Amino acid sequence: MNVFRSRPALTALTALGATALLAASTAAPSEAATPTSAPRTSVALDWYDTTAQTITAAGATTQVTNSRAWAISWLAAARAAGSVPRGVDRGDYQDAALASAVHDALVALAPARTDQLDAALDRTLDSIPDGAAEDKGVAAGARQAALTLKSREGDGLDPASVNAPFTVPPAAPGVWQPTPPAQAPATQYGNRLAKPFALRGADQYRLPAPPALDSRQYEADLAEVRAYGVKEGSSRTARQTETANFWYGSSLTLYTEPLRVAVDRSPRSAADRARLVALFHVASVDTQIATSDSKYAHQRWRPVTAIRTGGIGQDPEWTPLHDTPAHPDYPSGHNTYSGAAEGVLEALAGPRTAPYDLTSPTAPGATRTYTDWHRLTAENVEARIYSGIHTRSADEAGVRLGEQVAGATLRNAEALLRPAR
């Protein structure tokens, strides 16, 4: 089995990301007005955890809508905390601004959690000395939350818009059709019509066509899924089956802990931590928009349809390890997400870190240890093949697309992080 290797583009992204973060950190001369105390990690991490809890408890049914909630709330935080008024304590101001911005944005986006969010804000403000820094930080956070929310009104990322109706084309070789067992209508079609944060449009990085049905690449792709992705009698090892199970769930859920590790280990200020979270989720939203654009532009059938009805070793009884999601094969959404996540994390947190452990809700009892961000991507590439739901070409094209969106996000970081007015 091949192991996907990161492309040299990520090295350039790392340099670009560091430059973007430094530029954002020094854009406003007033930020250096007072001496800086040692960075305080607790407020950024507290609100990271509060955001995760809020989305878990009261989030939308569509992943991209929840990614949008993260992006809006933490963009507001980064914008509010990024420029400190003269004459106030920087740490106190940034902590108050971050907490106020995330609180107000999440109250608007998840009103069912208002009581919990109010209590969290009270705890944060109780830990900050009363005075001008706290008052101005709270006011800045409230203002940036309101303006950031307003700027995203009607952006097409609500659940109804995300799952806009899609007319299934007539059955033909290579063309997507609903898949067993549910034969469900297509989902996520509306993502491609939504408003991105950093991209010029959903089709900015539209992928070239997938391998032709009569190509050697396509034949190899299908043979690999047929052997390693079948539910019964596969060529998978126990470890490979665990990999498929580990990465089967929501990418947003699976990447919440790796991003938290990066935030926790960042030596930078609360404002810089907010920028990391904001840019990560901006990239994830735009990646999901770009993914749906390529998926529905090419409408490539899923492996289960190809193997059951296609012209290469047709097997009407072939069944994948995992049920196939209801949207086209090319590219893999899990891998576009992974490519974008790796691009932002490597750029803003460095390519390697001390060991950290991950668990997965779809692989109970399994714990995996990592020392970088790339391994997450490599496992996602393999996992979708072992699950029987994507081809390698769809996986690797997805990683490339995610990397491109990460690059666009980092190049636009200064504009994205500039306080709204």
Side-chain angles (χ1 to χ4, degrees):
M1 297 291 290
N2 294 330
V3 176
F4 181 81
R5 299 303 305 165
S6 182
R7 289 165 179 76
L10 285 178
T11 302
L13 282 184
T14 301
L16 175 63
T19 300
L21 190 58
L22 180 61
S25 300
T26 59
S30 62
E31 188 171 350
T34 58
T36 305
S37 57
R40 292 183 289 186
T41 63
S42 60
V43 168
L45 285 175
D46 284 349
W47 280 94
Y48 187 93
D49 293 341
T50 297
T51 306
Q53 292 159 8
T54 300
I55 298 300
T56 298
T61 56
T62 44
Q63 175 176 278
V64 72
T65 310
N66 293 325
S67 296
R68 172 187 184 267
W70 275 95
I72 288 174
S73 55
W74 284 81
L75 260 183
R79 289 167 173 174
S83 180
V84 181
R86 294 186 184 279
V88 301
D89 181 86
R90 178 182 297 165
D92 291 344
Y93 174 88
Q94 290 185 341
D95 283 350
L98 185 155
S100 172
V102 177
H103 166 272
D104 285 18
L106 290 178
V107 165
L109 296 167
R113 297 288 290 179
T114 297
D115 289 348
Q116 293 86 349
L117 291 164
D118 286 352
L121 182 60
D122 287 344
R123 287 193 298 272
T124 297
L125 298 182
D126 285 346
S127 72
I128 299 171
D130 293 339
E134 180 185 60
D135 293 343
K136 291 183 178 182
V138 169
R143 174 174 170 77
Q144 289 306 313
L147 291 171
T148 304
L149 285 161
K150 184 174 180 57
S151 73
R152 297 302 301 181
E153 287 179 354
D155 60 9
L157 290 169
D158 58 285
S161 298
V162 166
N163 287 327
F166 171 71
T167 301
V168 178
V175 177
W176 183 83
Q177 299 292 300
T179 53
Q183 305 291 343
T187 60
Q188 302 177 12
Y189 175 70
N191 280 1
R192 69 200 303 259
L193 309 175
K195 173 186 173 183
F197 281 85
L199 298 180
R200 293 191 301 272
D203 62 351
Q204 182 174 343
Y205 296 112
R206 181 178 292 175
L207 291 166
L213 300 184
D214 60 354
S215 67
R216 289 184 178 179
Q217 182 62 59
Y218 174 75
E219 184 175 355
D221 281 346
L222 208 58
E224 184 177 35
V225 179
R226 185 193 301 271
Y228 286 91
V230 68
K231 186 171 186 176
E232 303 291 345
S234 79
S235 300
R236 290 186 309 274
T237 65
R239 175 73 174 180
Q240 290 168 338
T241 299
E242 182 186 277
T243 297
N245 291 333
F246 197 92
W247 292 102
Y248 186 58
S250 153
S251 291
L252 175 61
T253 299
L254 292 165
Y255 271 88
T256 296
E257 185 60 26
L259 177 57
R260 189 187 191 281
V261 168
V263 172
D264 184 27
R265 296 177 181 182
S266 170
R268 296 177 180 269
S269 68
D272 291 324
R273 292 186 175 93
R275 292 176 187 120
L276 170 58
V277 177
L279 294 174
F280 181 100
H281 285 289
V282 163
S284 78
V285 170
D286 281 10
T287 294
Q288 290 171 80
I289 291 171
T291 297
S292 288
D293 174 77
S294 284
K295 277 183 179 288
Y296 286 100
H298 298 301
Q299 298 180 25
R300 172 53 62 93
W301 62 6
R302 288 281 187 158
V304 64
T305 309
I307 294 171
R308 288 188 176 190
T309 68
I312 302 176
Q314 188 178 117
D315 181 356
E317 303 301 318
W318 190 91
T319 299
L321 173 63
H322 290 136
D323 291 346
T324 302
H327 40 78
D329 175 57
Y330 183 88
S332 158
H334 269 58
N335 282 288
T336 57
Y337 197 107
S338 294
E342 182 182 353
V344 173
L345 288 169
E346 287 209 355
L348 301 184
R352 301 188 66 80
T353 187
Y356 60 97
D357 291 339
L358 297 182
T359 58
S360 167
T362 52
T367 299
R368 294 193 165 193
T369 302
Y370 302 88
T371 58
D372 61 14
W373 320 114
H374 170 68
R375 189 69 222 168
L376 311 180
T377 305
E379 288 187 7
N380 263 286
V381 169
E382 305 300 323
R384 308 312 271 174
I385 297 165
Y386 302 149
S387 286
I389 58 180
H390 276 301
T391 61
R392 183 172 295 277
S393 290
D395 292 344
E396 294 189 353
V399 175
R400 291 193 294 273
L401 177 58
E403 289 175 359
Q404 289 178 305
V405 176
T409 301
L410 294 168
R411 285 191 295 275
N412 285 284
E414 185 176 354
L416 285 165
L417 299 169
R418 187 178 300 127
R421 301 189 185 281

